Amino acid sequence: QVQLVESGGGSVQAGGSLRLSCAASGYSYSSYYMGMGWFRQAPGKEREGVAGIASDGITNYADFVKGRFTISKDNAKDTLYLQMNSLKPEDTGMYYCAGGFTHGAGRLNRYDYNYWGQGTQVTVSS
């Protein structure tokens, strides 16, 4: 019963910032071992990987967010974060938190993840 719950979405103007959070629960050992990632999906579009962080701390970013977004994980709080700066209208979409205990978790392939949150909406206006 692993559960991921996102929060922090909202509406901002282009150039603004948001910080998304994802609280993980439902497992018997530390989230240190969980690789996690953020994905987003715009209406009518495919879900795409945004950023990921493996259990060893290695991070991965999609090219379209490099230099603007930062993924981090607080194992003590079992919480994943996505700091989003310099937001653009094309960043608009539903953002999903994903987690997994597989070796591939932390990459940007949705099939490397076993658990998903319900999503939090991010809207960036021009």
Short mmCIF file of all heavy atoms in Angstrom, two decimals, residues 28-78:
data_model
loop_
_atom_site.label_atom_id
_atom_site.label_comp_id
_atom_site.label_asym_id
_atom_site.label_seq_id
_atom_site.Cartn_x
_atom_site.Cartn_y
_atom_site.Cartn_z
N SER A 28 7.48 -0.33 4.79
CA SER A 28 8.00 -0.61 6.13
C SER A 28 9.46 -0.20 6.34
O SER A 28 9.95 -0.26 7.46
CB SER A 28 7.85 -2.10 6.44
OG SER A 28 8.55 -2.90 5.50
N TYR A 29 10.14 0.21 5.29
CA TYR A 29 11.52 0.64 5.43
C TYR A 29 11.72 2.04 4.87
O TYR A 29 10.82 2.61 4.26
CB TYR A 29 12.48 -0.36 4.76
CG TYR A 29 12.11 -0.77 3.36
CD1 TYR A 29 12.57 -0.06 2.27
CD2 TYR A 29 11.31 -1.88 3.14
CE1 TYR A 29 12.23 -0.44 0.99
CE2 TYR A 29 10.96 -2.27 1.87
CZ TYR A 29 11.44 -1.55 0.79
OH TYR A 29 11.10 -1.94 -0.48
N SER A 30 12.89 2.58 5.08
CA SER A 30 13.17 3.97 4.74
C SER A 30 13.02 4.26 3.26
O SER A 30 13.34 3.43 2.41
CB SER A 30 14.59 4.35 5.19
OG SER A 30 14.93 5.65 4.76
N SER A 31 12.54 5.46 2.96
CA SER A 31 12.43 5.90 1.58
C SER A 31 13.79 6.13 0.93
O SER A 31 13.86 6.43 -0.26
CB SER A 31 11.59 7.18 1.50
OG SER A 31 12.19 8.23 2.24
N TYR A 32 14.84 5.99 1.70
CA TYR A 32 16.19 6.08 1.16
C TYR A 32 16.37 5.12 -0.01
O TYR A 32 17.11 5.41 -0.96
CB TYR A 32 17.21 5.77 2.25
CG TYR A 32 18.64 5.69 1.76
CD1 TYR A 32 19.42 6.83 1.65
CD2 TYR A 32 19.20 4.47 1.42
CE1 TYR A 32 20.73 6.77 1.21
CE2 TYR A 32 20.51 4.39 0.97
CZ TYR A 32 21.28 5.54 0.88
OH TYR A 32 22.57 5.47 0.43
N TYR A 33 15.70 3.99 0.05
CA TYR A 33 15.85 2.95 -0.97
C TYR A 33 14.94 3.15 -2.17
O TYR A 33 15.03 2.38 -3.14
CB TYR A 33 15.59 1.58 -0.35
CG TYR A 33 16.53 1.24 0.77
CD1 TYR A 33 16.12 1.34 2.10
CD2 TYR A 33 17.84 0.83 0.51
CE1 TYR A 33 16.98 1.03 3.13
CE2 TYR A 33 18.71 0.52 1.54
CZ TYR A 33 18.28 0.63 2.85
OH TYR A 33 19.14 0.33 3.87
N MET A 34 14.11 4.15 -2.14
CA MET A 34 13.16 4.39 -3.22
C MET A 34 13.70 5.41 -4.22
O MET A 34 14.06 6.52 -3.86
CB MET A 34 11.82 4.87 -2.67
CG MET A 34 10.78 5.14 -3.76
SD MET A 34 9.21 5.76 -3.11
CE MET A 34 8.52 4.25 -2.45
N GLY A 35 13.74 5.00 -5.48
CA GLY A 35 14.01 5.94 -6.54
C GLY A 35 12.71 6.65 -6.89
O GLY A 35 11.64 6.03 -6.89
N MET A 36 12.78 7.93 -7.19
CA MET A 36 11.57 8.69 -7.41
C MET A 36 11.73 9.64 -8.59
O MET A 36 12.85 9.94 -9.03
CB MET A 36 11.19 9.48 -6.16
CG MET A 36 11.01 8.60 -4.93
SD MET A 36 10.38 9.49 -3.48
CE MET A 36 8.64 9.61 -3.95
N GLY A 37 10.61 10.09 -9.08
CA GLY A 37 10.65 11.00 -10.21
C GLY A 37 9.38 11.83 -10.32
O GLY A 37 8.38 11.58 -9.65
N TRP A 38 9.46 12.82 -11.17
CA TRP A 38 8.33 13.67 -11.51
C TRP A 38 8.03 13.54 -12.99
O TRP A 38 8.95 13.59 -13.83
CB TRP A 38 8.60 15.13 -11.18
CG TRP A 38 8.65 15.43 -9.71
CD1 TRP A 38 9.75 15.52 -8.92
CD2 TRP A 38 7.53 15.71 -8.86
NE1 TRP A 38 9.40 15.83 -7.63
CE2 TRP A 38 8.03 15.95 -7.56
CE3 TRP A 38 6.15 15.77 -9.08
CZ2 TRP A 38 7.21 16.24 -6.49
CZ3 TRP A 38 5.33 16.06 -8.00
CH2 TRP A 38 5.86 16.29 -6.73
N PHE A 39 6.77 13.38 -13.30
CA PHE A 39 6.30 13.34 -14.68
C PHE A 39 5.20 14.38 -14.84
O PHE A 39 4.59 14.80 -13.86
CB PHE A 39 5.75 11.94 -15.01
CG PHE A 39 6.81 10.88 -15.08
CD1 PHE A 39 7.39 10.37 -13.93
CD2 PHE A 39 7.23 10.39 -16.31
CE1 PHE A 39 8.37 9.39 -13.99
CE2 PHE A 39 8.21 9.40 -16.39
CZ PHE A 39 8.77 8.91 -15.23
N ARG A 40 4.96 14.78 -16.06
CA ARG A 40 3.89 15.73 -16.31
C ARG A 40 3.13 15.34 -17.57
O ARG A 40 3.65 14.68 -18.46
CB ARG A 40 4.42 17.16 -16.42
CG ARG A 40 5.22 17.44 -17.68
CD ARG A 40 5.84 18.82 -17.61
NE ARG A 40 6.48 19.20 -18.86
CZ ARG A 40 7.24 20.28 -19.01
NH1 ARG A 40 7.44 21.11 -17.98
NH2 ARG A 40 7.79 20.56 -20.19
N GLN A 41 1.90 15.78 -17.62
CA GLN A 41 1.05 15.48 -18.75
C GLN A 41 0.14 16.67 -19.04
O GLN A 41 -0.64 17.08 -18.19
CB GLN A 41 0.22 14.23 -18.49
CG GLN A 41 -0.56 13.74 -19.68
CD GLN A 41 -1.14 12.35 -19.46
OE1 GLN A 41 -1.24 11.88 -18.32
NE2 GLN A 41 -1.50 11.68 -20.53
N ALA A 42 0.25 17.20 -20.24
CA ALA A 42 -0.62 18.26 -20.69
C ALA A 42 -1.84 17.64 -21.36
O ALA A 42 -1.78 16.51 -21.84
CB ALA A 42 0.12 19.18 -21.66
N PRO A 43 -2.95 18.37 -21.43
CA PRO A 43 -4.16 17.82 -22.07
C PRO A 43 -3.89 17.36 -23.49
O PRO A 43 -3.31 18.09 -24.30
CB PRO A 43 -5.12 19.01 -22.05
CG PRO A 43 -4.69 19.81 -20.87
CD PRO A 43 -3.19 19.70 -20.86
N GLY A 44 -4.27 16.13 -23.78
CA GLY A 44 -4.09 15.58 -25.11
C GLY A 44 -2.67 15.15 -25.44
O GLY A 44 -2.40 14.74 -26.57
N LYS A 45 -1.77 15.23 -24.46
CA LYS A 45 -0.38 14.87 -24.68
C LYS A 45 0.01 13.64 -23.87
O LYS A 45 -0.68 13.24 -22.94
CB LYS A 45 0.54 16.03 -24.31
CG LYS A 45 0.27 17.32 -25.07
CD LYS A 45 0.56 17.17 -26.55
CE LYS A 45 0.37 18.49 -27.28
NZ LYS A 45 0.65 18.35 -28.73
N GLU A 46 1.12 13.05 -24.25
CA GLU A 46 1.64 11.88 -23.55
C GLU A 46 2.31 12.30 -22.25
O GLU A 46 2.88 13.39 -22.15
CB GLU A 46 2.64 11.15 -24.45
CG GLU A 46 2.92 9.72 -24.03
CD GLU A 46 1.80 8.78 -24.39
OE1 GLU A 46 1.05 9.08 -25.34
OE2 GLU A 46 1.68 7.73 -23.73
N ARG A 47 2.25 11.45 -21.26
CA ARG A 47 2.95 11.72 -20.02
C ARG A 47 4.46 11.64 -20.25
O ARG A 47 4.95 10.68 -20.85
CB ARG A 47 2.54 10.71 -18.94
CG ARG A 47 3.07 11.03 -17.56
CD ARG A 47 2.49 10.10 -16.50
NE ARG A 47 1.03 10.21 -16.43
CZ ARG A 47 0.29 9.62 -15.51
NH1 ARG A 47 0.86 8.89 -14.56
NH2 ARG A 47 -1.03 9.77 -15.53
N GLU A 48 5.18 12.65 -19.80
CA GLU A 48 6.61 12.72 -20.05
C GLU A 48 7.39 12.89 -18.76
O GLU A 48 6.93 13.53 -17.82
CB GLU A 48 6.93 13.86 -21.02
CG GLU A 48 6.54 15.23 -20.52
CD GLU A 48 6.81 16.34 -21.52
OE1 GLU A 48 7.39 16.05 -22.60
OE2 GLU A 48 6.44 17.50 -21.25
N GLY A 49 8.59 12.34 -18.75
CA GLY A 49 9.45 12.47 -17.59
C GLY A 49 10.03 13.86 -17.48
O GLY A 49 10.44 14.46 -18.48
N VAL A 50 10.07 14.38 -16.28
CA VAL A 50 10.59 15.71 -16.01
C VAL A 50 11.92 15.63 -15.28
O VAL A 50 12.92 16.23 -15.70
CB VAL A 50 9.59 16.55 -15.19
CG1 VAL A 50 10.19 17.91 -14.82
CG2 VAL A 50 8.29 16.73 -15.96
N ALA A 51 11.94 14.92 -14.18
CA ALA A 51 13.15 14.78 -13.37
C ALA A 51 13.05 13.53 -12.53
O ALA A 51 11.96 13.11 -12.16
CB ALA A 51 13.35 16.01 -12.48
N GLY A 52 14.19 12.94 -12.22
CA GLY A 52 14.22 11.76 -11.38
C GLY A 52 15.43 11.76 -10.49
O GLY A 52 16.44 12.40 -10.78
N ILE A 53 15.32 11.04 -9.39
CA ILE A 53 16.44 10.89 -8.47
C ILE A 53 16.47 9.45 -7.98
O ILE A 53 15.48 8.93 -7.46
CB ILE A 53 16.35 11.90 -7.30
CG1 ILE A 53 17.56 11.75 -6.38
CG2 ILE A 53 15.04 11.76 -6.53
CD1 ILE A 53 17.70 12.90 -5.39
N ALA A 54 17.60 8.79 -8.19
CA ALA A 54 17.76 7.40 -7.79
C ALA A 54 18.08 7.32 -6.30
O ALA A 54 18.38 8.32 -5.65
CB ALA A 54 18.86 6.75 -8.61
N SER A 55 18.04 6.11 -5.77
CA SER A 55 18.29 5.92 -4.35
C SER A 55 19.71 6.32 -3.95
O SER A 55 19.96 6.65 -2.79
CB SER A 55 18.02 4.47 -3.94
OG SER A 55 18.85 3.58 -4.66
N ASP A 56 20.65 6.31 -4.90
CA ASP A 56 22.01 6.71 -4.62
C ASP A 56 22.23 8.21 -4.79
O ASP A 56 23.35 8.69 -4.63
CB ASP A 56 23.01 5.93 -5.47
CG ASP A 56 22.80 6.13 -6.96
OD1 ASP A 56 21.92 6.91 -7.35
OD2 ASP A 56 23.54 5.49 -7.75
N GLY A 57 21.18 8.94 -5.13
CA GLY A 57 21.26 10.37 -5.25
C GLY A 57 21.49 10.89 -6.66
O GLY A 57 21.45 12.11 -6.88
N ILE A 58 21.74 10.02 -7.60
CA ILE A 58 21.96 10.44 -8.98
C ILE A 58 20.67 11.02 -9.55
O ILE A 58 19.60 10.41 -9.43
CB ILE A 58 22.45 9.28 -9.85
CG1 ILE A 58 23.83 8.82 -9.39
CG2 ILE A 58 22.49 9.68 -11.32
CD1 ILE A 58 24.36 7.63 -10.13
N THR A 59 20.76 12.18 -10.15
CA THR A 59 19.59 12.85 -10.69
C THR A 59 19.59 12.82 -12.21
O THR A 59 20.63 12.72 -12.85
CB THR A 59 19.53 14.31 -10.22
OG1 THR A 59 20.73 14.99 -10.59
CG2 THR A 59 19.36 14.39 -8.71
N ASN A 60 18.40 12.91 -12.75
CA ASN A 60 18.20 12.95 -14.20
C ASN A 60 17.17 14.03 -14.50
O ASN A 60 16.17 14.16 -13.80
CB ASN A 60 17.71 11.60 -14.72
CG ASN A 60 18.71 10.49 -14.52
OD1 ASN A 60 19.70 10.40 -15.25
ND2 ASN A 60 18.49 9.65 -13.53
N TYR A 61 17.43 14.79 -15.56
CA TYR A 61 16.53 15.86 -15.95
C TYR A 61 16.25 15.80 -17.44
O TYR A 61 17.14 15.51 -18.24
CB TYR A 61 17.12 17.23 -15.63
CG TYR A 61 17.29 17.52 -14.16
CD1 TYR A 61 18.50 17.28 -13.53
CD2 TYR A 61 16.24 18.04 -13.42
CE1 TYR A 61 18.67 17.54 -12.18
CE2 TYR A 61 16.40 18.31 -12.07
CZ TYR A 61 17.61 18.06 -11.45
OH TYR A 61 17.77 18.33 -10.11
N ALA A 62 15.02 16.09 -17.77
CA ALA A 62 14.68 16.28 -19.18
C ALA A 62 15.36 17.55 -19.67
O ALA A 62 15.55 18.50 -18.91
CB ALA A 62 13.17 16.39 -19.36
N ASP A 63 15.74 17.57 -20.94
CA ASP A 63 16.44 18.72 -21.49
C ASP A 63 15.64 20.01 -21.34
O ASP A 63 16.22 21.09 -21.15
CB ASP A 63 16.77 18.49 -22.96
CG ASP A 63 17.87 17.47 -23.16
OD1 ASP A 63 18.64 17.23 -22.22
OD2 ASP A 63 17.96 16.93 -24.28
N PHE A 64 14.34 19.91 -21.41
CA PHE A 64 13.53 21.13 -21.39
C PHE A 64 13.39 21.76 -20.01
O PHE A 64 12.81 22.84 -19.88
CB PHE A 64 12.14 20.86 -21.99
CG PHE A 64 11.40 19.69 -21.41
CD1 PHE A 64 10.71 19.80 -20.22
CD2 PHE A 64 11.39 18.47 -22.07
CE1 PHE A 64 10.02 18.72 -19.68
CE2 PHE A 64 10.70 17.38 -21.55
CZ PHE A 64 10.02 17.51 -20.35
N VAL A 65 13.95 21.11 -18.98
CA VAL A 65 13.90 21.71 -17.63
C VAL A 65 15.28 21.92 -17.02
O VAL A 65 15.38 22.51 -15.94
CB VAL A 65 13.04 20.88 -16.66
CG1 VAL A 65 11.62 20.72 -17.21
CG2 VAL A 65 13.68 19.53 -16.37
N LYS A 66 16.32 21.48 -17.69
CA LYS A 66 17.67 21.63 -17.15
C LYS A 66 18.00 23.10 -16.91
O LYS A 66 17.77 23.94 -17.76
CB LYS A 66 18.69 21.01 -18.09
CG LYS A 66 18.75 19.50 -18.04
CD LYS A 66 19.86 18.95 -18.93
CE LYS A 66 19.95 17.45 -18.81
NZ LYS A 66 20.99 16.88 -19.70
N GLY A 67 18.53 23.37 -15.74
CA GLY A 67 18.87 24.73 -15.37
C GLY A 67 17.72 25.49 -14.75
O GLY A 67 17.93 26.59 -14.23
N ARG A 68 16.52 24.94 -14.80
CA ARG A 68 15.35 25.61 -14.24
C ARG A 68 14.73 24.84 -13.08
O ARG A 68 14.24 25.44 -12.12
CB ARG A 68 14.29 25.83 -15.32
CG ARG A 68 14.76 26.68 -16.49
CD ARG A 68 13.61 27.05 -17.40
NE ARG A 68 13.00 25.87 -18.02
CZ ARG A 68 11.72 25.53 -17.89
NH1 ARG A 68 10.89 26.28 -17.18
NH2 ARG A 68 11.24 24.44 -18.50
N PHE A 69 14.72 23.52 -13.18
CA PHE A 69 14.10 22.68 -12.16
C PHE A 69 15.17 21.94 -11.36
O PHE A 69 16.22 21.58 -11.89
CB PHE A 69 13.17 21.64 -12.79
CG PHE A 69 11.94 22.20 -13.43
CD1 PHE A 69 11.74 23.56 -13.61
CD2 PHE A 69 10.94 21.32 -13.87
CE1 PHE A 69 10.60 24.06 -14.21
CE2 PHE A 69 9.79 21.81 -14.47
CZ PHE A 69 9.62 23.17 -14.64
N THR A 70 14.87 21.68 -10.11
CA THR A 70 15.75 20.90 -9.25
C THR A 70 14.95 19.87 -8.48
O THR A 70 13.99 20.22 -7.80
CB THR A 70 16.51 21.80 -8.26
OG1 THR A 70 17.26 22.78 -8.97
CG2 THR A 70 17.48 20.96 -7.43
N ILE A 71 15.34 18.62 -8.58
CA ILE A 71 14.69 17.56 -7.83
C ILE A 71 15.53 17.24 -6.61
O ILE A 71 16.76 17.23 -6.66
CB ILE A 71 14.47 16.30 -8.70
CG1 ILE A 71 13.61 15.27 -7.96
CG2 ILE A 71 15.80 15.69 -9.14
CD1 ILE A 71 13.17 14.10 -8.83
N SER A 72 14.87 17.00 -5.50
CA SER A 72 15.56 16.64 -4.27
C SER A 72 14.68 15.72 -3.44
O SER A 72 13.48 15.61 -3.68
CB SER A 72 15.95 17.88 -3.47
OG SER A 72 14.81 18.63 -3.10
N LYS A 73 15.29 15.08 -2.47
CA LYS A 73 14.58 14.11 -1.66
C LYS A 73 15.05 14.22 -0.21
O LYS A 73 16.25 14.23 0.05
CB LYS A 73 14.84 12.71 -2.22
CG LYS A 73 14.08 11.57 -1.61
CD LYS A 73 14.16 10.36 -2.54
CE LYS A 73 13.58 9.10 -1.93
NZ LYS A 73 14.59 8.40 -1.11
N ASP A 74 14.11 14.30 0.69
CA ASP A 74 14.39 14.34 2.11
C ASP A 74 13.97 12.99 2.68
O ASP A 74 12.79 12.76 2.93
CB ASP A 74 13.64 15.47 2.80
CG ASP A 74 14.05 15.66 4.24
OD1 ASP A 74 14.50 14.69 4.88
OD2 ASP A 74 13.91 16.79 4.75
N ASN A 75 14.93 12.11 2.87
CA ASN A 75 14.61 10.76 3.33
C ASN A 75 14.04 10.75 4.74
O ASN A 75 13.20 9.90 5.05
CB ASN A 75 15.86 9.88 3.26
CG ASN A 75 16.30 9.61 1.84
OD1 ASN A 75 15.49 9.26 0.99
ND2 ASN A 75 17.59 9.77 1.58
N ALA A 76 14.49 11.65 5.59
CA ALA A 76 13.98 11.71 6.95
C ALA A 76 12.50 12.04 6.98
O ALA A 76 11.77 11.60 7.87
CB ALA A 76 14.77 12.73 7.77
N LYS A 77 12.05 12.82 6.01
CA LYS A 77 10.64 13.21 5.93
C LYS A 77 9.85 12.40 4.92
O LYS A 77 8.65 12.62 4.75
CB LYS A 77 10.53 14.70 5.58
CG LYS A 77 11.10 15.63 6.62
CD LYS A 77 10.92 17.09 6.20
CE LYS A 77 11.45 18.04 7.26
NZ LYS A 77 11.29 19.45 6.85
N ASP A 78 10.52 11.47 4.26
CA ASP A 78 9.88 10.65 3.22
C ASP A 78 9.18 11.53 2.19
O ASP A 78 8.05 11.25 1.77
CB ASP A 78 8.88 9.67 3.84
CG ASP A 78 9.54 8.61 4.68
OD1 ASP A 78 10.66 8.20 4.34
OD2 ASP A 78 8.92 8.18 5.68
#
